[in-house]
Amino acid sequence: MHNKVCSLPAPSTTLGVAALLGATLFAGVAPAAAADPQPATTVTPTPFEAPAPVPLDEVRPGDRGWGLSVFTGAQPERFEVEVLGVWRNPQPGMSYILARLSGRGLEETGVIAGMSGSPVYLGERLAGAVSFGWPFAREPVAGITPIEAMRELAPPAGGSAPRGAATVEPADLLPGRQPGDLLHQALEALAAPPLPSAGPLPAGGPGLQWSAAGFGDSSRRLLGEALGGLAAAGDGAVLPPGPLVPGAAVAAVLIDGDLRLAATGTVTDRAGDRVLAFGHPFLGLGPVRLPMASAEIITVLANDFSSFKISNLGPVVGAFDLDRLAGVSGVLGASAPQLPVAVAVAGDRQRRFELRLADVPLLTPALVAVAVLGSLDAATQSVGAQGLDLDVRFDLGRRGELAIHQSFDGGTAAMETAVYLLAFTGYLLQNRLEEVELAGIEVELSQHREPRTARLIEAHAASTLVRPGDRVALNFDLVAYRGQHFRRSLEIEVPTGLPDGRYSLLAGDGVSVDAARLAIERLDPVNFDQALAFLKSLHSRRQLVVLGIRRGSGLAVAGEVLPQLPGSVRSLWAAASSTSAVPLPLAVAQEHVLDVGLPLEGLVRVDLEVRRPGTLPAESEGEPESAPAEAAGEVLTVTSGESAGDGGAAAGGPGDGGSGDDGAGEGGAGDGGGEGGRR
């Protein structure tokens, strides 16, 4: 249905493969590579002799021939072909036969999406494969890729599809840092990009036919809008596969299992177990490993833009291993590695989806996001105001497990969840520091019928005059969704190494505090160990986090934060004129975490006055020292006891009594529940 395909690298580099291909003729979708192979269904080879080719120089206008494609069921049927001429070099090094098709209703339907790869014969010799057409065309005129170019697709000598370079940095993984349409952009990279010239190149169809099975309405709508068309497919994975002979329907599978997403085309040529198909690239990535499945065509649906086939996606029967300009090549019985993804949805309904994704690093992030969104949509709903708690475990092989926890609320909660996973998976697979093994992903989604985000409006300490080593009770006043006030309390210990003077505590939801911490410590990992440590340190919106901030005399060097350094050491770095050393005017002295159990938003600051033993408050008369937070106003803009959101001043003073477990009662000081962190 579309012209050319484009790769799916990190969001801002979607033209990489498109520029490499340099043409806009072809319809397509996406490929795969790397993880646990899914065994292919055994297919008995059909012995036959590959027909002799028709050299392109022998093709003449008016030549008549015939082609094969499936219009219903699994058996290829004949259609008629009249050659109009040879379209020479519409793109460098590639010529095409233009022909008018007829029979099998093609006069009314035009060239059909899903006919990509349909073999065309002149006499008993194979001329090539149907590979493109024009949308809204009044005649079924098709472009045919010469078979000579397709048979030059040699078996790959090793290698894999490019991974792509990440444009996402660790700091960009915080929720809210990703564009809301990031998933749509990623999926659009698989559809037809804008034409690179104003020449008379085809603007669409037929190409491959996108098909999806098991997805709900909203996720199918998203896929259809982004990809330029999508047909609902049946799942025929349990059916016996039809023989993959020339003219048979064949599918490239991107998502398999309880949900299926694939692109269906046609087999062009076969020699033993080696299959040629499509007549144009999938992504033009060269060596790939992509599951190959059979397909059953139910019927052809005529459409003014581009007619298409409605199909049942059959079982996996092999693997495509080469993806070039003239088509794709694969082997029956071979296995393609796939990434196992499990999605458990808990809400009004409980469902678990077992999925296997095409494991191409360029595509995997978008496929993970689509799989999670589709699972949620199939289980309950993915649109409307709601709350979602996300818990994910990435199996990083020798690197162990990475767990992330986050919450999203509101009318776009489902899409925000999917986009967050897209960005996170993209960073893991496409980071610039190390090639990461991703062995599997487990996702748990807890769905709530309405948003739950509470606002943090005030915080105050039981005592603002403290000594190093003192334990200080902090009380936090919050307003729940739709107005219910409640309080939470936490007890912290003042670090023993603090000097006399002002000491600031920054408190807020985990995401806001993480953003402040990044601004203070200016993290820039130079190896994956540092990046992984940062990823593991990220907090959830369900956590209330307190940072203790003091004046710093440190440096950020080679991805490491050195918060407190003697002046002599700092002078040495300065004398060396090191461009990698960044002075840090502030330092994080301690961190405490309180699990609240529902998402929060807001950022407040409480200032304490530290007096070491032997000093008296009277000694501090005069102008008070500036708070550490005020030393970097561009980082922390809230004032003492004040909310970042509404500016309401908090009263400093002791707690008001016992806390209520239901979240509505007044909280007393010192429960310390869920506390942890650094000191």
Side-chain angles (χ1 to χ4, degrees), residues 466-472 491-499 503 590 608 610-613 679:
V466 298
R467 300 183 191 282
D470 282 357
R471 297 193 68 82
V472 179
E491 188 175 76
I492 69 166
E493 181 177 325
V494 180
T496 56
L498 292 180
Y503 179 56
Q590 64 182 150
L608 305 178
V610 177
R611 293 299 165 191
R612 303 183 66 81
R679 296 178 182 173

mmCIF file with all atom_site columns, all heavy atoms in Angstrom, residues 466-472 491-499 503 590 608 610-613 679:
data_model
loop_
_atom_site.group_PDB
_atom_site.id
_atom_site.type_symbol
_atom_site.label_atom_id
_atom_site.label_alt_id
_atom_site.label_comp_id
_atom_site.label_asym_id
_atom_site.label_entity_id
_atom_site.label_seq_id
_atom_site.pdbx_PDB_ins_code
_atom_site.Cartn_x
_atom_site.Cartn_y
_atom_site.Cartn_z
_atom_site.occupancy
_atom_site.B_iso_or_equiv
_atom_site.pdbx_formal_charge
_atom_site.auth_seq_id
_atom_site.auth_comp_id
_atom_site.auth_asym_id
_atom_site.auth_atom_id
_atom_site.pdbx_PDB_model_num
ATOM 1   N N   . VAL A 1 466 ? 19.120 22.789 64.038 1.00 0.00 ? 466 VAL A N   1
ATOM 2   C CA  . VAL A 1 466 ? 19.552 21.411 64.254 1.00 0.00 ? 466 VAL A CA  1
ATOM 3   C C   . VAL A 1 466 ? 21.060 21.349 64.445 1.00 0.00 ? 466 VAL A C   1
ATOM 4   O O   . VAL A 1 466 ? 21.792 22.282 64.106 1.00 0.00 ? 466 VAL A O   1
ATOM 5   C CB  . VAL A 1 466 ? 19.153 20.525 63.061 1.00 0.00 ? 466 VAL A CB  1
ATOM 6   C CG1 . VAL A 1 466 ? 17.642 20.476 62.886 1.00 0.00 ? 466 VAL A CG1 1
ATOM 7   C CG2 . VAL A 1 466 ? 19.821 21.005 61.770 1.00 0.00 ? 466 VAL A CG2 1
ATOM 8   N N   . ARG A 1 467 ? 21.501 20.216 65.010 1.00 0.00 ? 467 ARG A N   1
ATOM 9   C CA  . ARG A 1 467 ? 22.926 19.919 65.122 1.00 0.00 ? 467 ARG A CA  1
ATOM 10  C C   . ARG A 1 467 ? 23.230 18.708 64.243 1.00 0.00 ? 467 ARG A C   1
ATOM 11  O O   . ARG A 1 467 ? 22.363 17.869 64.016 1.00 0.00 ? 467 ARG A O   1
ATOM 12  C CB  . ARG A 1 467 ? 23.312 19.605 66.570 1.00 0.00 ? 467 ARG A CB  1
ATOM 13  C CG  . ARG A 1 467 ? 23.039 20.730 67.546 1.00 0.00 ? 467 ARG A CG  1
ATOM 14  C CD  . ARG A 1 467 ? 23.534 20.330 68.938 1.00 0.00 ? 467 ARG A CD  1
ATOM 15  N NE  . ARG A 1 467 ? 23.092 21.232 69.978 1.00 0.00 ? 467 ARG A NE  1
ATOM 16  C CZ  . ARG A 1 467 ? 23.611 22.411 70.235 1.00 0.00 ? 467 ARG A CZ  1
ATOM 17  N NH1 . ARG A 1 467 ? 24.522 22.808 69.510 1.00 0.00 ? 467 ARG A NH1 1
ATOM 18  N NH2 . ARG A 1 467 ? 23.184 23.179 71.208 1.00 0.00 ? 467 ARG A NH2 1
ATOM 19  N N   . PRO A 1 468 ? 24.445 18.571 63.739 1.00 0.00 ? 468 PRO A N   1
ATOM 20  C CA  . PRO A 1 468 ? 24.818 17.366 62.995 1.00 0.00 ? 468 PRO A CA  1
ATOM 21  C C   . PRO A 1 468 ? 24.522 16.111 63.817 1.00 0.00 ? 468 PRO A C   1
ATOM 22  O O   . PRO A 1 468 ? 24.819 16.059 65.009 1.00 0.00 ? 468 PRO A O   1
ATOM 23  C CB  . PRO A 1 468 ? 26.321 17.541 62.761 1.00 0.00 ? 468 PRO A CB  1
ATOM 24  C CG  . PRO A 1 468 ? 26.536 19.025 62.789 1.00 0.00 ? 468 PRO A CG  1
ATOM 25  C CD  . PRO A 1 468 ? 25.579 19.545 63.823 1.00 0.00 ? 468 PRO A CD  1
ATOM 26  N N   . GLY A 1 469 ? 23.901 15.127 63.186 1.00 0.00 ? 469 GLY A N   1
ATOM 27  C CA  . GLY A 1 469 ? 23.538 13.896 63.867 1.00 0.00 ? 469 GLY A CA  1
ATOM 28  C C   . GLY A 1 469 ? 22.142 13.896 64.454 1.00 0.00 ? 469 GLY A C   1
ATOM 29  O O   . GLY A 1 469 ? 21.638 12.834 64.836 1.00 0.00 ? 469 GLY A O   1
ATOM 30  N N   . ASP A 1 470 ? 21.483 15.063 64.542 1.00 0.00 ? 470 ASP A N   1
ATOM 31  C CA  . ASP A 1 470 ? 20.111 15.113 65.048 1.00 0.00 ? 470 ASP A CA  1
ATOM 32  C C   . ASP A 1 470 ? 19.167 14.377 64.103 1.00 0.00 ? 470 ASP A C   1
ATOM 33  O O   . ASP A 1 470 ? 19.376 14.336 62.891 1.00 0.00 ? 470 ASP A O   1
ATOM 34  C CB  . ASP A 1 470 ? 19.626 16.568 65.168 1.00 0.00 ? 470 ASP A CB  1
ATOM 35  C CG  . ASP A 1 470 ? 20.168 17.268 66.401 1.00 0.00 ? 470 ASP A CG  1
ATOM 36  O OD1 . ASP A 1 470 ? 20.865 16.601 67.188 1.00 0.00 ? 470 ASP A OD1 1
ATOM 37  O OD2 . ASP A 1 470 ? 19.903 18.477 66.551 1.00 0.00 ? 470 ASP A OD2 1
ATOM 38  N N   . ARG A 1 471 ? 18.086 13.837 64.678 1.00 0.00 ? 471 ARG A N   1
ATOM 39  C CA  . ARG A 1 471 ? 16.999 13.280 63.878 1.00 0.00 ? 471 ARG A CA  1
ATOM 40  C C   . ARG A 1 471 ? 15.873 14.312 63.844 1.00 0.00 ? 471 ARG A C   1
ATOM 41  O O   . ARG A 1 471 ? 15.460 14.840 64.881 1.00 0.00 ? 471 ARG A O   1
ATOM 42  C CB  . ARG A 1 471 ? 16.519 11.950 64.451 1.00 0.00 ? 471 ARG A CB  1
ATOM 43  C CG  . ARG A 1 471 ? 17.602 10.876 64.440 1.00 0.00 ? 471 ARG A CG  1
ATOM 44  C CD  . ARG A 1 471 ? 17.038 9.495  64.710 1.00 0.00 ? 471 ARG A CD  1
ATOM 45  N NE  . ARG A 1 471 ? 16.189 9.015  63.625 1.00 0.00 ? 471 ARG A NE  1
ATOM 46  C CZ  . ARG A 1 471 ? 16.627 8.447  62.506 1.00 0.00 ? 471 ARG A CZ  1
ATOM 47  N NH1 . ARG A 1 471 ? 17.937 8.301  62.324 1.00 0.00 ? 471 ARG A NH1 1
ATOM 48  N NH2 . ARG A 1 471 ? 15.779 8.029  61.591 1.00 0.00 ? 471 ARG A NH2 1
ATOM 49  N N   . VAL A 1 472 ? 15.424 14.602 62.637 1.00 0.00 ? 472 VAL A N   1
ATOM 50  C CA  . VAL A 1 472 ? 14.448 15.670 62.428 1.00 0.00 ? 472 VAL A CA  1
ATOM 51  C C   . VAL A 1 472 ? 13.217 15.090 61.739 1.00 0.00 ? 472 VAL A C   1
ATOM 52  O O   . VAL A 1 472 ? 13.324 14.376 60.739 1.00 0.00 ? 472 VAL A O   1
ATOM 53  C CB  . VAL A 1 472 ? 15.042 16.801 61.571 1.00 0.00 ? 472 VAL A CB  1
ATOM 54  C CG1 . VAL A 1 472 ? 14.005 17.895 61.341 1.00 0.00 ? 472 VAL A CG1 1
ATOM 55  C CG2 . VAL A 1 472 ? 16.286 17.363 62.223 1.00 0.00 ? 472 VAL A CG2 1
ATOM 56  N N   . GLU A 1 491 ? 11.228 10.805 59.014 1.00 0.00 ? 491 GLU A N   1
ATOM 57  C CA  . GLU A 1 491 ? 12.285 11.257 59.920 1.00 0.00 ? 491 GLU A CA  1
ATOM 58  C C   . GLU A 1 491 ? 13.631 11.065 59.245 1.00 0.00 ? 491 GLU A C   1
ATOM 59  O O   . GLU A 1 491 ? 13.928 9.994  58.712 1.00 0.00 ? 491 GLU A O   1
ATOM 60  C CB  . GLU A 1 491 ? 12.247 10.485 61.234 1.00 0.00 ? 491 GLU A CB  1
ATOM 61  C CG  . GLU A 1 491 ? 13.198 11.058 62.285 1.00 0.00 ? 491 GLU A CG  1
ATOM 62  C CD  . GLU A 1 491 ? 13.058 10.355 63.617 1.00 0.00 ? 491 GLU A CD  1
ATOM 63  O OE1 . GLU A 1 491 ? 13.566 9.214  63.728 1.00 0.00 ? 491 GLU A OE1 1
ATOM 64  O OE2 . GLU A 1 491 ? 12.429 10.925 64.516 1.00 0.00 ? 491 GLU A OE2 1
ATOM 65  N N   . ILE A 1 492 ? 14.460 12.114 59.265 1.00 0.00 ? 492 ILE A N   1
ATOM 66  C CA  . ILE A 1 492 ? 15.790 12.029 58.670 1.00 0.00 ? 492 ILE A CA  1
ATOM 67  C C   . ILE A 1 492 ? 16.827 12.339 59.734 1.00 0.00 ? 492 ILE A C   1
ATOM 68  O O   . ILE A 1 492 ? 16.528 12.947 60.777 1.00 0.00 ? 492 ILE A O   1
ATOM 69  C CB  . ILE A 1 492 ? 15.952 13.005 57.490 1.00 0.00 ? 492 ILE A CB  1
ATOM 70  C CG1 . ILE A 1 492 ? 15.957 14.462 58.001 1.00 0.00 ? 492 ILE A CG1 1
ATOM 71  C CG2 . ILE A 1 492 ? 14.857 12.809 56.460 1.00 0.00 ? 492 ILE A CG2 1
ATOM 72  C CD1 . ILE A 1 492 ? 16.443 15.453 56.964 1.00 0.00 ? 492 ILE A CD1 1
ATOM 73  N N   . GLU A 1 493 ? 18.050 11.922 59.467 1.00 0.00 ? 493 GLU A N   1
ATOM 74  C CA  . GLU A 1 493 ? 19.171 12.240 60.351 1.00 0.00 ? 493 GLU A CA  1
ATOM 75  C C   . GLU A 1 493 ? 20.057 13.257 59.657 1.00 0.00 ? 493 GLU A C   1
ATOM 76  O O   . GLU A 1 493 ? 20.460 13.069 58.503 1.00 0.00 ? 493 GLU A O   1
ATOM 77  C CB  . GLU A 1 493 ? 19.975 10.982 60.669 1.00 0.00 ? 493 GLU A CB  1
ATOM 78  C CG  . GLU A 1 493 ? 21.156 11.239 61.614 1.00 0.00 ? 493 GLU A CG  1
ATOM 79  C CD  . GLU A 1 493 ? 21.899 9.967  61.968 1.00 0.00 ? 493 GLU A CD  1
ATOM 80  O OE1 . GLU A 1 493 ? 21.244 8.918  62.097 1.00 0.00 ? 493 GLU A OE1 1
ATOM 81  O OE2 . GLU A 1 493 ? 23.128 10.029 62.097 1.00 0.00 ? 493 GLU A OE2 1
ATOM 82  N N   . VAL A 1 494 ? 20.369 14.338 60.328 1.00 0.00 ? 494 VAL A N   1
ATOM 83  C CA  . VAL A 1 494 ? 21.227 15.373 59.757 1.00 0.00 ? 494 VAL A CA  1
ATOM 84  C C   . VAL A 1 494 ? 22.645 14.813 59.632 1.00 0.00 ? 494 VAL A C   1
ATOM 85  O O   . VAL A 1 494 ? 23.188 14.274 60.599 1.00 0.00 ? 494 VAL A O   1
ATOM 86  C CB  . VAL A 1 494 ? 21.230 16.634 60.647 1.00 0.00 ? 494 VAL A CB  1
ATOM 87  C CG1 . VAL A 1 494 ? 22.140 17.705 60.045 1.00 0.00 ? 494 VAL A CG1 1
ATOM 88  C CG2 . VAL A 1 494 ? 19.813 17.167 60.816 1.00 0.00 ? 494 VAL A CG2 1
ATOM 89  N N   . PRO A 1 495 ? 23.264 14.885 58.460 1.00 0.00 ? 495 PRO A N   1
ATOM 90  C CA  . PRO A 1 495 ? 24.615 14.344 58.288 1.00 0.00 ? 495 PRO A CA  1
ATOM 91  C C   . PRO A 1 495 ? 25.598 14.947 59.280 1.00 0.00 ? 495 PRO A C   1
ATOM 92  O O   . PRO A 1 495 ? 25.543 16.151 59.590 1.00 0.00 ? 495 PRO A O   1
ATOM 93  C CB  . PRO A 1 495 ? 24.965 14.726 56.843 1.00 0.00 ? 495 PRO A CB  1
ATOM 94  C CG  . PRO A 1 495 ? 23.646 14.863 56.159 1.00 0.00 ? 495 PRO A CG  1
ATOM 95  C CD  . PRO A 1 495 ? 22.716 15.410 57.189 1.00 0.00 ? 495 PRO A CD  1
ATOM 96  N N   . THR A 1 496 ? 26.521 14.117 59.767 1.00 0.00 ? 496 THR A N   1
ATOM 97  C CA  . THR A 1 496 ? 27.450 14.560 60.817 1.00 0.00 ? 496 THR A CA  1
ATOM 98  C C   . THR A 1 496 ? 28.528 15.493 60.291 1.00 0.00 ? 496 THR A C   1
ATOM 99  O O   . THR A 1 496 ? 29.128 16.237 61.061 1.00 0.00 ? 496 THR A O   1
ATOM 100 C CB  . THR A 1 496 ? 28.110 13.337 61.470 1.00 0.00 ? 496 THR A CB  1
ATOM 101 O OG1 . THR A 1 496 ? 28.756 12.553 60.456 1.00 0.00 ? 496 THR A OG1 1
ATOM 102 C CG2 . THR A 1 496 ? 27.075 12.476 62.177 1.00 0.00 ? 496 THR A CG2 1
ATOM 103 N N   . GLY A 1 497 ? 28.810 15.483 59.010 1.00 0.00 ? 497 GLY A N   1
ATOM 104 C CA  . GLY A 1 497 ? 29.918 16.289 58.497 1.00 0.00 ? 497 GLY A CA  1
ATOM 105 C C   . GLY A 1 497 ? 29.536 17.679 58.056 1.00 0.00 ? 497 GLY A C   1
ATOM 106 O O   . GLY A 1 497 ? 30.368 18.383 57.476 1.00 0.00 ? 497 GLY A O   1
ATOM 107 N N   . LEU A 1 498 ? 28.310 18.132 58.347 1.00 0.00 ? 498 LEU A N   1
ATOM 108 C CA  . LEU A 1 498 ? 27.888 19.444 57.865 1.00 0.00 ? 498 LEU A CA  1
ATOM 109 C C   . LEU A 1 498 ? 28.536 20.568 58.671 1.00 0.00 ? 498 LEU A C   1
ATOM 110 O O   . LEU A 1 498 ? 28.657 20.483 59.896 1.00 0.00 ? 498 LEU A O   1
ATOM 111 C CB  . LEU A 1 498 ? 26.373 19.580 57.959 1.00 0.00 ? 498 LEU A CB  1
ATOM 112 C CG  . LEU A 1 498 ? 25.522 18.715 57.026 1.00 0.00 ? 498 LEU A CG  1
ATOM 113 C CD1 . LEU A 1 498 ? 24.046 18.993 57.268 1.00 0.00 ? 498 LEU A CD1 1
ATOM 114 C CD2 . LEU A 1 498 ? 25.881 18.970 55.572 1.00 0.00 ? 498 LEU A CD2 1
ATOM 115 N N   . PRO A 1 499 ? 28.931 21.640 58.004 1.00 0.00 ? 499 PRO A N   1
ATOM 116 C CA  . PRO A 1 499 ? 29.425 22.820 58.730 1.00 0.00 ? 499 PRO A CA  1
ATOM 117 C C   . PRO A 1 499 ? 28.252 23.654 59.234 1.00 0.00 ? 499 PRO A C   1
ATOM 118 O O   . PRO A 1 499 ? 27.094 23.414 58.887 1.00 0.00 ? 499 PRO A O   1
ATOM 119 C CB  . PRO A 1 499 ? 30.207 23.564 57.652 1.00 0.00 ? 499 PRO A CB  1
ATOM 120 C CG  . PRO A 1 499 ? 29.477 23.243 56.386 1.00 0.00 ? 499 PRO A CG  1
ATOM 121 C CD  . PRO A 1 499 ? 29.001 21.824 56.544 1.00 0.00 ? 499 PRO A CD  1
ATOM 122 N N   . TYR A 1 503 ? 21.225 24.604 55.580 1.00 0.00 ? 503 TYR A N   1
ATOM 123 C CA  . TYR A 1 503 ? 21.199 23.284 54.943 1.00 0.00 ? 503 TYR A CA  1
ATOM 124 C C   . TYR A 1 503 ? 19.797 23.093 54.374 1.00 0.00 ? 503 TYR A C   1
ATOM 125 O O   . TYR A 1 503 ? 18.803 23.196 55.105 1.00 0.00 ? 503 TYR A O   1
ATOM 126 C CB  . TYR A 1 503 ? 21.531 22.195 55.963 1.00 0.00 ? 503 TYR A CB  1
ATOM 127 C CG  . TYR A 1 503 ? 21.500 20.779 55.418 1.00 0.00 ? 503 TYR A CG  1
ATOM 128 C CD1 . TYR A 1 503 ? 22.268 20.409 54.323 1.00 0.00 ? 503 TYR A CD1 1
ATOM 129 C CD2 . TYR A 1 503 ? 20.701 19.802 56.026 1.00 0.00 ? 503 TYR A CD2 1
ATOM 130 C CE1 . TYR A 1 503 ? 22.247 19.118 53.842 1.00 0.00 ? 503 TYR A CE1 1
ATOM 131 C CE2 . TYR A 1 503 ? 20.674 18.496 55.549 1.00 0.00 ? 503 TYR A CE2 1
ATOM 132 C CZ  . TYR A 1 503 ? 21.450 18.161 54.449 1.00 0.00 ? 503 TYR A CZ  1
ATOM 133 O OH  . TYR A 1 503 ? 21.428 16.873 53.983 1.00 0.00 ? 503 TYR A OH  1
ATOM 134 N N   . GLN A 1 590 ? 22.509 13.770 51.198 1.00 0.00 ? 590 GLN A N   1
ATOM 135 C CA  . GLN A 1 590 ? 21.745 12.610 51.624 1.00 0.00 ? 590 GLN A CA  1
ATOM 136 C C   . GLN A 1 590 ? 20.481 12.491 50.788 1.00 0.00 ? 590 GLN A C   1
ATOM 137 O O   . GLN A 1 590 ? 20.048 13.439 50.137 1.00 0.00 ? 590 GLN A O   1
ATOM 138 C CB  . GLN A 1 590 ? 21.376 12.702 53.111 1.00 0.00 ? 590 GLN A CB  1
ATOM 139 C CG  . GLN A 1 590 ? 20.471 13.858 53.452 1.00 0.00 ? 590 GLN A CG  1
ATOM 140 C CD  . GLN A 1 590 ? 20.174 13.951 54.944 1.00 0.00 ? 590 GLN A CD  1
ATOM 141 O OE1 . GLN A 1 590 ? 19.951 15.027 55.455 1.00 0.00 ? 590 GLN A OE1 1
ATOM 142 N NE2 . GLN A 1 590 ? 20.160 12.845 55.654 1.00 0.00 ? 590 GLN A NE2 1
ATOM 143 N N   . LEU A 1 608 ? 17.041 24.289 56.867 1.00 0.00 ? 608 LEU A N   1
ATOM 144 C CA  . LEU A 1 608 ? 17.441 24.085 58.256 1.00 0.00 ? 608 LEU A CA  1
ATOM 145 C C   . LEU A 1 608 ? 18.662 24.929 58.550 1.00 0.00 ? 608 LEU A C   1
ATOM 146 O O   . LEU A 1 608 ? 19.475 25.204 57.656 1.00 0.00 ? 608 LEU A O   1
ATOM 147 C CB  . LEU A 1 608 ? 17.756 22.604 58.509 1.00 0.00 ? 608 LEU A CB  1
ATOM 148 C CG  . LEU A 1 608 ? 16.665 21.583 58.160 1.00 0.00 ? 608 LEU A CG  1
ATOM 149 C CD1 . LEU A 1 608 ? 17.175 20.178 58.442 1.00 0.00 ? 608 LEU A CD1 1
ATOM 150 C CD2 . LEU A 1 608 ? 15.380 21.868 58.932 1.00 0.00 ? 608 LEU A CD2 1
ATOM 151 N N   . VAL A 1 610 ? 22.043 24.781 60.642 1.00 0.00 ? 610 VAL A N   1
ATOM 152 C CA  . VAL A 1 610 ? 22.913 23.812 61.327 1.00 0.00 ? 610 VAL A CA  1
ATOM 153 C C   . VAL A 1 610 ? 23.845 24.559 62.275 1.00 0.00 ? 610 VAL A C   1
ATOM 154 O O   . VAL A 1 610 ? 24.515 25.519 61.887 1.00 0.00 ? 610 VAL A O   1
ATOM 155 C CB  . VAL A 1 610 ? 23.741 22.996 60.307 1.00 0.00 ? 610 VAL A CB  1
ATOM 156 C CG1 . VAL A 1 610 ? 24.696 22.051 61.031 1.00 0.00 ? 610 VAL A CG1 1
ATOM 157 C CG2 . VAL A 1 610 ? 22.813 22.240 59.372 1.00 0.00 ? 610 VAL A CG2 1
ATOM 158 N N   . ARG A 1 611 ? 23.870 24.121 63.551 1.00 0.00 ? 611 ARG A N   1
ATOM 159 C CA  . ARG A 1 611 ? 24.803 24.657 64.552 1.00 0.00 ? 611 ARG A CA  1
ATOM 160 C C   . ARG A 1 611 ? 25.526 23.493 65.195 1.00 0.00 ? 611 ARG A C   1
ATOM 161 O O   . ARG A 1 611 ? 24.902 22.602 65.777 1.00 0.00 ? 611 ARG A O   1
ATOM 162 C CB  . ARG A 1 611 ? 24.052 25.457 65.617 1.00 0.00 ? 611 ARG A CB  1
ATOM 163 C CG  . ARG A 1 611 ? 23.420 26.732 65.109 1.00 0.00 ? 611 ARG A CG  1
ATOM 164 C CD  . ARG A 1 611 ? 24.470 27.690 64.564 1.00 0.00 ? 611 ARG A CD  1
ATOM 165 N NE  . ARG A 1 611 ? 23.880 28.755 63.761 1.00 0.00 ? 611 ARG A NE  1
ATOM 166 C CZ  . ARG A 1 611 ? 24.574 29.577 63.017 1.00 0.00 ? 611 ARG A CZ  1
ATOM 167 N NH1 . ARG A 1 611 ? 25.889 29.445 62.937 1.00 0.00 ? 611 ARG A NH1 1
ATOM 168 N NH2 . ARG A 1 611 ? 23.970 30.505 62.316 1.00 0.00 ? 611 ARG A NH2 1
ATOM 169 N N   . ARG A 1 612 ? 26.829 23.490 65.082 1.00 0.00 ? 612 ARG A N   1
ATOM 170 C CA  . ARG A 1 612 ? 27.613 22.425 65.684 1.00 0.00 ? 612 ARG A CA  1
ATOM 171 C C   . ARG A 1 612 ? 27.680 22.637 67.190 1.00 0.00 ? 612 ARG A C   1
ATOM 172 O O   . ARG A 1 612 ? 27.484 23.747 67.696 1.00 0.00 ? 612 ARG A O   1
ATOM 173 C CB  . ARG A 1 612 ? 29.020 22.398 65.089 1.00 0.00 ? 612 ARG A CB  1
ATOM 174 C CG  . ARG A 1 612 ? 29.004 22.235 63.559 1.00 0.00 ? 612 ARG A CG  1
ATOM 175 C CD  . ARG A 1 612 ? 30.406 22.132 62.984 1.00 0.00 ? 612 ARG A CD  1
ATOM 176 N NE  . ARG A 1 612 ? 31.069 20.920 63.431 1.00 0.00 ? 612 ARG A NE  1
ATOM 177 C CZ  . ARG A 1 612 ? 30.883 19.718 62.894 1.00 0.00 ? 612 ARG A CZ  1
ATOM 178 N NH1 . ARG A 1 612 ? 30.037 19.588 61.886 1.00 0.00 ? 612 ARG A NH1 1
ATOM 179 N NH2 . ARG A 1 612 ? 31.516 18.664 63.352 1.00 0.00 ? 612 ARG A NH2 1
ATOM 180 N N   . PRO A 1 613 ? 27.952 21.581 67.966 1.00 0.00 ? 613 PRO A N   1
ATOM 181 C CA  . PRO A 1 613 ? 28.039 21.726 69.424 1.00 0.00 ? 613 PRO A CA  1
ATOM 182 C C   . PRO A 1 613 ? 29.063 22.787 69.811 1.00 0.00 ? 613 PRO A C   1
ATOM 183 O O   . PRO A 1 613 ? 30.135 22.902 69.214 1.00 0.00 ? 613 PRO A O   1
ATOM 184 C CB  . PRO A 1 613 ? 28.488 20.327 69.882 1.00 0.00 ? 613 PRO A CB  1
ATOM 185 C CG  . PRO A 1 613 ? 28.013 19.408 68.804 1.00 0.00 ? 613 PRO A CG  1
ATOM 186 C CD  . PRO A 1 613 ? 28.125 20.177 67.539 1.00 0.00 ? 613 PRO A CD  1
ATOM 187 N N   . ARG A 1 679 ? 23.634 8.915  52.965 1.00 0.00 ? 679 ARG A N   1
ATOM 188 C CA  . ARG A 1 679 ? 23.900 9.938  53.974 1.00 0.00 ? 679 ARG A CA  1
ATOM 189 C C   . ARG A 1 679 ? 25.373 10.305 53.940 1.00 0.00 ? 679 ARG A C   1
ATOM 190 O O   . ARG A 1 679 ? 26.187 9.492  53.572 1.00 0.00 ? 679 ARG A O   1
ATOM 191 C CB  . ARG A 1 679 ? 23.532 9.429  55.362 1.00 0.00 ? 679 ARG A CB  1
ATOM 192 C CG  . ARG A 1 679 ? 22.019 9.153  55.496 1.00 0.00 ? 679 ARG A CG  1
ATOM 193 C CD  . ARG A 1 679 ? 21.689 8.615  56.849 1.00 0.00 ? 679 ARG A CD  1
ATOM 194 N NE  . ARG A 1 679 ? 20.277 8.321  56.919 1.00 0.00 ? 679 ARG A NE  1
ATOM 195 C CZ  . ARG A 1 679 ? 19.716 7.696  57.950 1.00 0.00 ? 679 ARG A CZ  1
ATOM 196 N NH1 . ARG A 1 679 ? 20.438 7.302  58.961 1.00 0.00 ? 679 ARG A NH1 1
ATOM 197 N NH2 . ARG A 1 679 ? 18.426 7.463  57.957 1.00 0.00 ? 679 ARG A NH2 1
#
